[in-house]
Amino acid sequence: MTSQGAKPPRRRRGDGRMDRHAFGDVSSVSSPPTSGRSASAGAMSRRAALGFAGAVAATGLATPALAQTTIEWKMATAWPADLEGPGQSAQRICDAIALLSGGRMRVRLFPDGELVAASGIFDTVSAGTAQMGHAASAYWQAKMPAAVFFTAVPFGFLPHEHVTWLERAGGQALWDKLYAPYGVRPFLAGNTGAQMGGWFTRPVETLEDLDGLKIRMPGLGGEIMRRLGATPMSLPPTELVQALSSGLIDAAEFLGPASDRALGFAEVTKLYYAPGFHDPNGANEMLVNSVAFDGLAEDLKAVVIAACRAETLQSMAGSDWRNAQAFDALKTEDGVEVRAYPPEILAALRDTAAQVVASFADAGGLDRDIYKSYARTLQKLAPWSSASTRLFLEGRET
């Protein structure tokens, strides 16, 4: 067994380099050949190979190892085991890495609290205690305020627009730069889609109803609620239902109908608000320790990237499908009442969101660069998204 620092034999590639943001076809890495063997050696019959090994032994020379050494990594996640959506995403990534590497690399998953609490994942990966971590960048807002841009921005990107920013408009390079001082490399690794506004134990009908409201809402959404008089709180997913039931909090947002139903929110309250103004996108991230990643052979780096990319597509499709079914079940089977934020509250949320997001321009440095890149890309994409999607949906509904 090798740890993160060991290097398995390197696979020969054309020019020995690979653009980690341009990896597409995973078929070329699903069954990597043994490094250093020629085509004729690769075609050697089993009998000839055994004869060669016997001849080497007879001469008293050391016999080369015939099996590949397996690299074993740990992945800490922010999710309960097998949680609908992100918990399943994390496990599928582990499975894909083992499959695509032909068993040369295996990742053991540790759900929230088993190795470290969700709030400690970034530091755990930075220190190398776990080589990987699956979470959401908004969790690191206290450490890096601009990290929230890589999960979701209130009234900002939809999931497909977020991918466009990372892949085509410079977002990934800024994300890499933000985490680099901590020895961590980020990858988009799943998306739970557009979210709901949250579960409330009492109705919110006017702006005055937000005064003193204790709500679990991390990220920029929480700051918007604070400016409107609420008290935002940060709690891990495993504690939300109990906190809502005990009265520790008055409201809580998590993800979408599928994950929310799986956690049991509908057993505590029947008031479910929309839209998820704070999280129109639910990007998950894979954190990878930089030293561990750089120590991998090029084809294994490609395996990690491919597994994350494949899961992003898989999770986006899965989230829409599961959320559609769960949304119906919440209303027809669980007796949940879905309410829209009143126009007065929604308008105040939108106006306050614009102020909160624009404040990053005043921070200077990398925070300002991230804000400007995000805002510039949103301004470019919004007219097309409106013409191609919003107007289409309005027409389909009529």
Side-chain angles (χ1 to χ4, degrees):
M1 302 292 178
T2 64
S3 64
Q4 65 190 45
K7 296 185 179 180
R10 296 180 67 86
R11 178 188 175 191
R12 293 194 220 182
R13 298 178 61 87
D15 63 356
R17 296 173 297 172
M18 183 192 70
D19 180 356
R20 73 185 187 92
H21 304 309
F23 184 79
D25 181 13
V26 301
S27 62
S28 63
V29 297
S30 59
S31 300
T34 303
S35 177
R37 293 176 65 185
S38 66
S40 59
M44 183 184 294
S45 69
R46 181 173 181 272
R47 179 179 300 176
L50 291 174
F52 175 76
V56 170
T59 62
L61 299 176
T63 303
L66 299 180
Q68 288 279 1
T69 301
T70 301
I71 295 174
E72 294 190 347
W73 278 11
K74 298 175 182 177
M75 179 196 295
T77 80
W79 330 112
D82 297 322
L83 175 69
E84 285 254 7
Q88 295 170 343
S89 280
Q91 184 59 60
R92 281 195 297 262
I93 292 170
C94 292
D95 296 341
I97 288 173
L99 179 64
L100 293 175
S101 69
R104 290 169 53 207
M105 183 174 179
R106 299 187 183 278
V107 181
R108 181 182 175 188
L109 185 148
F110 292 85
D112 178 24
E114 284 196 9
L115 183 65
V116 64
S119 60
I121 289 176
F122 190 94
D123 290 340
T124 296
V125 174
S126 177
T129 306
Q131 293 84 2
M132 304 180 78
H134 194 252
S137 64
Y139 285 15
W140 330 129
Q141 182 180 7
K143 183 188 296 288
M144 299 169 286
V148 296
F149 281 87
F150 300 97
T151 294
V153 171
F155 298 99
F157 289 146
L158 292 170
H160 68 282
E161 294 172 325
H162 187 84
V163 174
T164 301
W165 179 47
L166 294 180
E167 296 280 352
R168 290 291 182 264
Q172 183 67 53
L174 291 168
W175 199 10
D176 291 343
K177 189 174 181 179
L178 183 66
Y179 286 10
Y182 302 94
V184 174
R185 301 184 72 161
F187 300 92
L188 184 62
N191 197 308
T192 51
Q195 300 183 22
M196 289 287 285
W199 299 85
F200 289 71
T201 56
R202 56 183 172 84
V204 287
E205 298 174 345
T206 67
L207 284 173
E208 287 71 29
D209 291 329
L210 296 181
D211 286 339
L213 181 80
K214 296 175 292 185
I215 181 170
R216 187 271 187 182
M217 184 174 283
L220 299 182
E223 174 59 18
I224 292 167
M225 281 290 187
R226 187 192 67 77
R227 295 192 184 192
L228 293 177
T231 302
M233 303 177 69
S234 293
L235 294 170
T238 49
E239 299 177 14
L240 295 183
V241 172
Q242 178 59 35
L244 200 64
S245 178
S246 68
L248 177 64
I249 55 177
D250 305 308
E253 65 77 37
F254 180 44
L255 295 175
S259 297
D260 288 4
R261 190 171 190 245
L263 278 186
F265 284 105
E267 299 172 12
V268 179
T269 181
K270 303 299 182 182
L271 288 177
Y272 201 22
Y273 274 81
F277 73 93
H278 60 299
D279 280 341
N281 169 58
N284 296 143
E285 67 179 1
M286 183 62 69
L287 306 171
V288 183
N289 179 274
S290 297
V291 174
F293 186 80
D294 291 343
L296 293 176
E298 293 301 314
D299 61 326
L300 292 182
K301 291 178 184 178
V303 163
V304 172
I305 296 166
C308 291
R309 277 192 162 179
E311 182 51 36
T312 297
L313 178 61
Q314 173 83 340
S315 63
M316 288 173 68
S319 292
D320 274 353
W321 184 245
R322 288 192 308 273
N323 282 335
Q325 297 179 82
F327 187 67
D328 179 69
L330 284 169
K331 294 184 294 181
T332 60
E333 299 176 24
D334 302 335
V336 170
E337 180 184 357
V338 178
R339 293 190 179 187
Y341 281 116
E344 176 192 14
I345 292 179
L346 194 60
L349 291 170
R350 185 171 54 249
D351 292 344
T352 307
Q355 299 169 17
V356 169
V357 176
S359 67
F360 282 87
D362 302 327
L366 187 55
D367 283 9
R368 181 181 58 197
D369 293 342
I370 291 172
Y371 162 74
K372 285 187 173 181
S373 174
Y374 191 100
R376 183 170 57 248
T377 305
L378 182 59
Q379 184 178 32
K380 177 70 72 174
L381 292 176
W384 167 239
S385 292
S386 180
S388 64
T389 303
R390 181 179 63 84
L391 295 179
F392 169 77
L393 290 176
E394 291 176 358
R396 188 169 69 179
E397 290 171 1
T398 58

